[in-house]
């Protein structure tokens, strides 16, 4: 399958200039003011990327929520990818991955008592509703809103994965970039995500040189920190002692997770589905045959509804940890304070 996909991408190279021209022209219209972007007089922070996924947007949104939720009324606003509802929706006790999308549902399950979680494909309309008399949110975090140029966020945080820097990629359909590389110039902060624990100063300087940030841009590095326990609806287990389990992933790039589990010398099979995979009845019947299933938190949001999996389904929590966290946190809180 991977070889077939690589072949299809290689033969689609002649279409790259077309995609490049279309996305460049669209951005140019916004840059020149010929297409309207709306700015706001309250803090709007956008977290996004240039590539089609796998850079760790959800852990970054959660990092910002933890940083800000005790001092302000925070809202997250996502598109709600692959949800089966339309328009503006605010998460509540009746919500599910089907009604608001898997990642917003993950935010709601984790922070339901601390923040407002909303979805709307029209970000302007979503922001208007979140600032209404009913909500009056102080800060809005745009999840995956970097290409949504109708909204001009006050602070743009651009993510790029350590093992797949945007500077070495191509635009679709041959590469993974949603827009040309110079779209990175809209970012105020660039975060290199999913770094190994042992990334050193020399390596960081090399990456910064490759990114070649503008004078107004700060570059940070982050790592994924995995929990030492896997969690189910009813209990948790020590991750280091798991025996013969099935790893189920429906994310863009599970490489970091696989390497983490292999480093523990754990024995597992891997069922790898496409990003945001909608599990079919056939998929569930296949999973029911497994004795122990470990999945990502995002995939858990879609799978936990199946009662037949309740006693065997666990997820491995992760958090994003920032290198030079004090400086990063100060940049965020100073922006909010302004």
């Amino acid at each position: 399958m991977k070889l077939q996909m690589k072949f299809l991408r290689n033969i689609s190279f002649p279409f790259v200039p077309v995609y490049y021209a279309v996305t460049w022209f669209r951005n140019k219209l916004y840059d020149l003011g010929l297409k309207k972007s709306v700015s706001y007089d309250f803090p709007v922070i956008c977290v996004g990327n240039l590539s089609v996924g796998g850079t760790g947007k959800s852990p970054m949104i959660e990092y910002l929520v933890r940083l800000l939720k005790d001092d302000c009324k925070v809202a997250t606003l996502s598109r709600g990818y692959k949800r089966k509802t339309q328009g503006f929706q605010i998460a509540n006790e009746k919500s599910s991955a089907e009604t608001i999308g898997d990642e917003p549902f993950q935010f709601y399950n984790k922070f339901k008592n601390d923040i407002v979680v909303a979805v709307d494909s029209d970000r302007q309309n979503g922001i208007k509703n979140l600032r209404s008399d009913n909500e009056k949110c102080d800060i809005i975090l745009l999840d995956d809103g970097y290409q949504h140029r109708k909204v001009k966020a006050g602070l743009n945080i651009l993510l790029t994965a350590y093992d797949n820097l945007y500077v070495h990629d191509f635009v679709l359909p041959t590469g993974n970039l949603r827009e040309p590389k110079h779209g990175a110039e809209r970012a105020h902060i660039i975060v290199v995500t999913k770094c190994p624990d042992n990334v050193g100063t020399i390596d960081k300087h090399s990456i910064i040189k490759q990114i070649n940030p503008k004078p107004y841009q700060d570059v940070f590095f982050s790592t994924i920190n995995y929990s030492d326990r896997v969690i189910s609806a009813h209990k948790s287990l020590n991750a280091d002692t798991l025996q013969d389990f099935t790893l189920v992933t429906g994310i863009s790039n599970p490489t970091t997770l696989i390497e983490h589990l292999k480093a523990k010398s754990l024995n597992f099979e891997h069922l790898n589905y496409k990003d945001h995979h909608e599990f079919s009845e056939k998929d569930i019947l296949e999973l029911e045959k497994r004795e122990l299933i470990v999945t990502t938190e995002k995939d858990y949001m879609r799978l936990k509804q199946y009662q037949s999996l309740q006693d065997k389904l666990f997820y491995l929590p992760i958090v994003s940890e920032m290198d030079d966290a004090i400086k990063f946190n100060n940049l965020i809180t100073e922006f909010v304070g302004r």
Side-chain angles (χ1 to χ4, degrees):
M1 181 63 72
K2 288 185 178 180
L3 289 175
Q4 183 182 19
M5 182 61 68
K6 185 176 181 180
F7 173 74
L8 290 173
R9 287 198 163 201
N10 286 338
I11 65 174
S12 64
F13 186 77
F15 297 99
V16 168
V18 177
Y19 187 92
Y20 184 102
V22 170
T23 53
W24 176 89
F25 183 68
R26 174 182 180 271
N27 279 328
K28 200 66 177 177
L29 292 177
Y30 280 106
D31 295 339
L32 295 174
L34 299 177
K35 287 179 75 72
K36 180 70 172 176
S37 289
V38 177
S39 301
Y40 299 90
D41 59 357
F42 55 89
V44 177
I45 302 176
C46 172
V47 175
N49 52 24
L50 295 185
S51 66
V52 291
T55 56
K57 293 184 294 295
S58 294
M60 179 55 65
I61 289 287
E62 292 180 2
Y63 183 99
L64 295 173
V65 168
R66 292 187 180 96
L67 177 65
L68 300 169
K69 67 182 177 64
D70 292 337
D71 299 313
C72 311
K73 186 174 182 180
V74 177
T76 64
L77 178 60
S78 311
R79 176 176 51 163
Y81 184 61
K82 285 196 173 182
R83 65 185 169 118
K84 296 181 180 179
T85 57
Q86 300 293 324
F88 179 75
Q89 302 277 335
I90 287 184
N92 56 44
E93 65 276 2
K94 296 181 180 179
S95 297
S96 67
E98 289 190 343
T99 61
I100 61 174
D102 48 18
E103 287 158 336
F105 191 45
Q106 176 179 321
F107 301 152
Y108 176 73
N109 273 265
K110 193 169 290 186
F111 302 109
K112 66 180 75 176
N113 298 320
D114 299 314
I115 68 172
V116 176
V117 176
V119 295
D120 198 332
S121 58
D122 183 342
R123 307 299 171 92
Q124 286 186 17
N125 183 66
I127 291 174
K128 181 180 74 173
N129 279 285
L130 287 171
R131 289 287 289 181
S132 68
D133 291 337
N134 292 332
E135 298 303 331
K136 283 293 185 184
C137 295
D138 301 317
I139 301 171
I140 296 177
L141 306 178
L142 293 182
D143 174 30
D144 197 16
Y146 199 77
Q147 282 74 38
H148 199 93
R149 298 293 305 272
K150 290 183 179 180
V151 168
K152 187 175 183 180
L155 185 68
N156 279 317
I157 302 176
L158 180 69
L159 310 182
T160 184
Y162 172 86
D163 60 354
N164 189 26
L165 299 175
Y166 69 83
V167 293
H168 304 309
D169 207 346
F170 295 94
V171 296
L172 294 165
T174 296
N176 291 311
L177 299 185
R178 300 171 174 176
E179 60 174 298
K181 301 171 189 175
H182 55 71
E185 295 175 5
R186 300 196 303 276
H188 304 96
I189 295 173
I190 299 173
V191 181
V192 181
T193 62
K194 300 185 177 181
C195 296
D197 293 334
N198 60 351
V199 61
T201 302
I202 295 176
D203 197 8
K204 291 177 184 176
H205 284 315
S206 173
I207 291 173
I208 292 173
K209 185 176 180 180
Q210 294 171 62
I211 291 175
N212 191 24
K214 299 295 181 182
Y216 56 85
Q217 294 178 320
D218 290 280
V219 179
F220 293 89
F221 297 83
S222 72
T223 58
I224 293 295
N225 183 28
Y226 292 92
S227 172
D228 58 1
R229 302 192 71 81
V230 293
I231 299 172
S232 75
H234 309 294
K235 61 181 178 179
S236 67
L237 300 173
N238 187 332
D240 292 338
T241 60
L242 296 176
Q243 299 291 328
D244 298 326
F245 62 93
T246 298
L247 174 67
V248 175
T249 61
I251 57 178
S252 294
N253 185 4
T255 303
T256 305
L257 173 57
I258 293 169
E259 290 176 349
H260 169 75
L261 295 174
K262 286 184 175 179
K264 293 178 174 292
S265 300
L266 299 177
N267 184 36
F268 61 94
E269 67 165 336
H270 181 204
L271 298 183
N272 187 22
Y273 299 93
K274 65 181 181 180
D275 195 18
H276 296 280
H277 178 69
E278 294 185 13
F279 292 92
S280 65
E281 183 178 345
K282 181 180 178 182
D283 294 330
I284 301 306
L285 288 173
E286 189 64 32
L287 293 178
E288 288 174 353
K289 300 175 184 177
R290 272 56 181 186
E291 293 186 7
L292 177 62
I293 300 169
V294 175
T295 189
T296 68
E297 192 168 1
K298 184 173 80 169
D299 294 310
Y300 182 80
M301 294 301 126
R302 292 194 297 275
L303 289 169
K304 71 174 188 173
Q305 62 179 303
Y306 299 101
Q307 293 296 322
S308 60
L309 302 179
Q310 287 285 314
D311 294 331
K312 64 178 71 178
L313 181 66
F314 294 77
Y315 71 88
L316 181 61
I318 63 172
V319 294
S320 182
E321 292 193 353
M322 298 297 303
D323 184 60
D324 202 356
I326 293 176
K327 181 180 178 181
F328 179 83
N329 293 354
N330 285 341
L331 286 176
I332 302 301
T333 54
E334 286 172 6
F335 163 74
V336 171
R338 290 197 301 270

